[in-house]
Amino acid sequence: EQKILDTFAAAEANGVNAFMTHSEPKIEKLFKEYRDRRGGKLKWIVAPWISSEGMVTDLAAYKRIVPQLMDSGVDALYVPGMLTGPLVQQGKGALIGEMLDVIETSGLPAGVASHGLDVVRFCEKEKLPVDFYVKTFHHLKYPTAPKPEEMTKVRQSLEHYARGDLKSDYAEVPGYWCSNPEETAKVMKSVTKPWIAFKVMAAGAIPPRDAFQYAYSNGADFILAGMFDFQIAEDAQIAREMFASLNTRPRPWRG
C-alpha cells in the first residue's frame, strides 16, 4: 500500500495530472488517503465496473454506485468499454445514455470508453450526453501486431468480445486494441468532445516516444498511459516534448 501511495506522489511530482482506474474498493481507499492525508492534487477519473456489491453493469447498479463514488471524491466518471461495446452490439445502446444521465445528475463530467468505433458513432448519432471519450488508439507498425492474413480471425474474435463474450479467445490477447487507427483518426476529427486515447503503447509493444507522438499528432487530446514507477519521469518528459513539438493536427485541441 505504501508503494502505491508513493507512486501516486511520484506521478504528480512529474506533472501527471490525473489518475484513471476502474472502481475497486482497495484503490479507492488508497487514493482517498493520498488526497486527504498527503494533500495530493491528482484528478481522479473512474469507470464504475466493480463494487463491494458485485459487477456494475445495469442501471440499478449505477444509481447505487455513482453517489458512493461521488462521496469518495471522484472528479469524473465514464462508462467502460467492456460494457459499451456489448451494449451497442446487442442493440441496447440506449442504456449507455441512461447511465450517462445518472452520472450527469451527480454533477460530474460523464464519459464513454470504447475499443470500437461503433460506440463513438452510436453516441454521436444519438447525441448522447457524452462529455468526453476514452478510445483505444495506436498504429499497427510494430513486430507483434497481427499480420494482414491474420486480421480476419482476429476481427472475428474481437466481434465475439464486443458482443459480451468475455471468455472468447480474444479477450485482451493477441496484442492489438485498435484495428483501424486511420479510420479512428478520421472519425474523431469531427468529434468536438475531448478524447483521451488509451492503449497507445499497445500494452508495451510500442515505445512511448513513438506511441505518444502518433496519438497527439493524429488528434488525441490526452493520453492514458500505464507505467511502472521508474518509468514515470521519462514518460512524462516525452509527453511534454511531443506536445510542445506539434505544429499541426487534424483537429483542434479539446479540453
Side-chain angles (χ1 to χ4, degrees):
E1 293 189 356
Q2 187 61 46
K3 185 64 171 176
I4 294 173
L5 293 170
D6 290 344
T7 302
F8 288 147
E12 187 168 351
N14 281 281
V16 176
N17 60 8
F19 170 61
M20 294 180 67
T21 182
H22 296 305
S23 54
E24 202 284 321
K26 177 181 178 180
I27 299 300
E28 290 167 22
K29 171 181 173 292
L30 286 171
F31 194 76
K32 194 169 188 302
E33 178 180 342
Y34 170 70
R35 294 212 298 196
D36 291 350
R37 293 181 56 188
R38 289 200 176 194
K41 303 298 183 183
L42 285 176
K43 298 293 184 182
W44 190 14
I45 305 173
V46 176
W49 181 239
I50 301 172
S51 73
S52 56
E53 292 90 353
M55 301 298 289
V56 183
T57 58
D58 57 33
L59 196 58
Y62 259 72
K63 290 180 178 179
R64 182 179 66 252
I65 193 66
V66 166
Q68 295 175 16
L69 289 169
M70 185 180 177
D71 290 344
S72 294
V74 300
D75 296 290
L77 295 169
Y78 66 98
V79 187
M82 295 92 72
L83 194 55
T84 62
L87 286 175
V88 170
Q89 288 281 330
Q90 296 165 10
K92 302 176 182 178
L95 183 56
I96 299 173
E98 296 180 50
M99 292 174 171
L100 291 170
D101 286 337
V102 173
I103 296 172
E104 293 218 322
T105 298
S106 72
L108 297 174
V112 165
S114 69
H115 293 76
L117 277 173
D118 54 345
V119 174
V120 176
R121 288 188 171 117
F122 176 85
C123 292
E124 290 292 293
K125 179 183 177 182
E126 299 299 321
K127 295 181 170 55
L128 299 188
V130 182
D131 292 317
F132 62 95
Y133 286 104
V134 184
K135 170 70 179 73
T136 51
F137 192 49
H138 62 73
H139 62 66
L140 295 171
K141 299 175 183 178
Y142 54 96
T144 55
K147 304 297 185 290
E149 63 271 18
E150 299 173 329
M151 289 303 291
T152 298
K153 181 179 179 180
V154 169
R155 286 195 175 109
Q156 289 173 346
S157 296
L158 180 56
E159 288 171 4
H160 286 296
Y161 181 69
R163 286 197 296 269
D165 180 9
L166 300 182
K167 295 181 180 180
S168 75
D169 59 358
Y170 177 82
E172 287 207 345
V173 189
Y176 98 102
W177 291 264
C178 183
S179 63
N180 48 0
E182 294 84 4
E183 187 180 1
T184 296
K186 182 179 179 180
V187 169
M188 297 305 291
K189 183 178 179 180
S190 63
V191 173
T192 60
K193 312 294 175 56
W195 170 22
I196 302 172
F198 76 111
K199 292 293 186 184
V200 298
M201 293 180 280
I206 304 172
R209 187 171 297 276
D210 181 3
F212 294 3
Q213 192 276 337
Y214 185 84
Y216 281 139
S217 64
N218 285 284
D221 301 301
F222 304 92
I223 287 174
L224 166 57
M227 62 192 80
F228 290 106
D229 59 341
F230 57 84
Q231 298 170 318
I232 291 172
E234 182 179 3
D235 285 359
Q237 181 60 30
I238 290 171
R240 286 190 290 270
E241 291 173 4
M242 294 299 102
F243 184 88
S245 67
L246 289 180
N247 295 318
T248 60
R249 278 166 43 96
R251 67 193 290 262
W253 291 102
R254 310 286 186 180

